[in-house]
Amino acid sequence: MMVMETQQGEWSVEALKPQKVLYVPPGWAHRSVNTSPVETLVTFFVYPGNAGHDYGSIEKQGFRKLVVERNGAPQLIDNPRWLPPEAR
């Protein structure tokens, strides 16, 4: 899965699938999550050096959404440490 968010608090989580392209728009922080207990996640990224997200907020509080395992399956949950931009 690809977890993404903007500095303004918009977010998206998309499935990563073999032989498919996933576009991450400029200004979106992103993190890939391997949800398989047996498969290795292999990715190839192409992006400009000025992609445009300040990862400082991500370093402090993480992404707005988290991918966790529940009953053997990936589940999307709210990050309890996440704060909206106006509260940071």
Side-chain angles (χ1 to χ4, degrees):
M1 299 180 92
M2 182 69 75
V3 179
M4 302 176 282
E5 78 177 54
T6 68
Q7 291 175 328
Q8 295 74 32
E10 293 179 74
W11 64 276
S12 180
V13 177
E14 301 291 334
L16 293 172
K17 298 184 182 213
Q19 309 301 314
K20 298 296 178 182
V21 173
L22 175 68
Y23 177 70
V24 178
W28 285 70
H30 58 284
R31 174 161 295 147
S32 53
V33 179
N34 185 357
T35 59
S36 172
V38 296
E39 297 284 331
T40 300
L41 175 63
V42 178
T43 57
F44 176 73
F45 292 97
V46 177
Y47 55 90
N50 62 346
H53 194 285
D54 170 21
Y55 278 85
S57 61
I58 301 297
E59 184 178 348
K60 290 178 187 170
Q61 66 183 18
F63 282 80
R64 182 177 191 155
K65 299 293 181 178
L66 302 174
V67 179
V68 298
E69 181 184 343
R70 297 266 167 86
N71 300 319
Q75 182 177 0
L76 191 63
I77 65 169
D78 291 331
N79 178 352
R81 295 183 344 177
W82 189 87
L83 296 171
E86 62 275 4
R88 294 181 197 157

